[in-house]
Amino acid sequence: MEVLVVPVLADEGFQGPTKEVFQTPHWFDVEVGSAHFYLNKATGLTLFAALFVGVIFWLGFRQARIIPRGLQNLCESVYDFVDLQIARGVIGEKGARYTPYLLILFSFVLVCNVLAVIPAAQFPATSRIAVPMVLAVITWVMFNYAGIRANGAGAYFKELIDPAPTAPFAIRLLLAPIEILSTLIVRPFTLAIRLFANMFAGHLLLLVFSLGADYLLPKPPFVFGVASLLVAIILTAFELVIDVLQAYIITILTAAYIGGAMAHGGEHEVAPSEDLAEHAPTGVPVAAHA
């Protein structure tokens, strides 16, 4: 009697995310001397985000109307939010000068982040450290430029080296390296790491539960696969919230750094109540002029 032996493929088990998720294959490579240029999914999505933001604002404002509608209404809403709530809200009226940069920063980071939950992309460009690093360097240049422009190079760097001139010498000696490290190194470093770590960890967590659902759904009992799928859906919604929040955080921190640099040297923008008090007639309450 012959026994028919049917080969059974062994279950290789759950395969979690690998480094290839973030180190995507190159679409093409070009070597020019010792320089190596390539394009992959991460760089392609970064370029797409930059072009998308530029095209959207160009289309929104190319034929601007007094009464905005459609895409112009959307672009103006984003502009007003960044200008009023971030630039002027954090820096003051002089922050309007930096609204264009803050607007582009917020929009670019938002698009890069949201690509993580777009089915055709499913990858946040900001989960590669290079993108947050470049943004942090640009911000570093911007807030140092703002401080030098507002106070002059001498006053700006003098306060950077000696932030508490009236303190005892030992305290001044202690504060000087802390202030220099904080302003010139720690700020751009934490700005880049905060964005990168949040997007990297969020995308990785989402991948784990998505792959888990794909692995467990065909296997009884199906409750584990369904639970993993539900968690993946919830995490997708949560990831979208984090995407918007991280774009807001990097933008408002940039505005805070610019405002702090402009305040070096004793520059102080007069608040509305202080301005009214200064110009109010003697003996007349400020509230009467509000």
Side-chain angles (χ1 to χ4, degrees), residues 165-276:
T166 59
F169 179 75
I171 300 297
R172 294 166 61 188
L173 198 62
L174 179 64
L175 290 178
I178 294 176
E179 182 70 13
I180 293 172
L181 286 174
S182 173
T183 303
L184 301 182
I185 298 177
V186 175
R187 282 184 182 179
F189 178 78
T190 55
L191 204 64
I193 292 298
R194 181 184 294 107
L195 178 59
F196 160 72
N198 277 279
M199 300 316 301
F200 180 90
H203 188 57
L204 191 62
L205 190 62
L206 188 58
L207 278 175
V208 168
F209 282 96
S210 299
L211 293 174
D214 182 66
Y215 174 75
L216 293 172
L217 276 174
K219 302 179 182 300
F222 305 105
V223 62
F224 298 109
V226 173
S228 185
L229 179 61
L230 290 176
V231 172
I233 294 173
I234 294 172
L235 284 177
T236 300
F238 183 70
E239 179 74 9
L240 187 59
V241 174
I242 296 298
D243 293 342
V244 178
L245 186 61
Q246 287 302 314
Y248 175 75
I249 287 174
I250 192 173
T251 308
I252 201 167
L253 283 177
T254 297
Y257 294 160
I258 292 174
M262 292 173 64
H264 273 38
E267 181 178 293
H268 174 63
E269 185 167 300
V270 179
S273 59
E274 294 174 325
D275 184 57
L276 289 171

Side-chain angles (χ1 to χ4, degrees), residues 67-255:
I67 302 177
R69 62 175 60 180
L71 190 58
Q72 181 187 346
N73 192 24
L74 173 64
C75 292
E76 287 194 8
S77 298
V78 177
Y79 181 91
D80 287 342
F81 168 73
V82 174
D83 182 49
L84 299 176
Q85 301 299 323
I86 299 179
R88 298 175 192 263
V90 175
I91 303 173
E93 287 303 315
K94 293 184 179 179
R97 182 185 299 119
Y98 302 97
T99 296
Y101 172 67
L102 296 173
L103 174 66
I104 296 301
L105 177 65
F106 174 79
S107 305
F108 174 73
V109 173
L110 179 61
V111 173
C112 284
N113 292 351
V114 172
L115 287 173
V117 296
I118 301 299
Q122 293 183 323
F123 185 85
T126 43
S127 65
R128 294 290 300 269
I129 188 62
V131 175
M133 280 180 61
V134 171
L135 296 177
V137 169
I138 296 174
T139 293
W140 181 85
V141 172
M142 187 65 69
F143 76 73
N144 281 290
Y145 162 78
I148 293 172
R149 189 179 191 276
N151 306 287
Y156 178 72
F157 287 108
K158 179 182 178 181
E159 184 163 341
L160 187 65
I161 296 173
D162 190 12
T166 59
F169 179 75
I171 300 297
R172 294 166 61 188
L173 198 62
L174 179 64
L175 290 178
I178 294 176
E179 182 70 13
I180 293 172
L181 286 174
S182 173
T183 303
L184 301 182
I185 298 177
V186 175
R187 282 184 182 179
F189 178 78
T190 55
L191 204 64
I193 292 298
R194 181 184 294 107
L195 178 59
F196 160 72
N198 277 279
M199 300 316 301
F200 180 90
H203 188 57
L204 191 62
L205 190 62
L206 188 58
L207 278 175
V208 168
F209 282 96
S210 299
L211 293 174
D214 182 66
Y215 174 75
L216 293 172
L217 276 174
K219 302 179 182 300
F222 305 105
V223 62
F224 298 109
V226 173
S228 185
L229 179 61
L230 290 176
V231 172
I233 294 173
I234 294 172
L235 284 177
T236 300
F238 183 70
E239 179 74 9
L240 187 59
V241 174
I242 296 298
D243 293 342
V244 178
L245 186 61
Q246 287 302 314
Y248 175 75
I249 287 174
I250 192 173
T251 308
I252 201 167
L253 283 177
T254 297

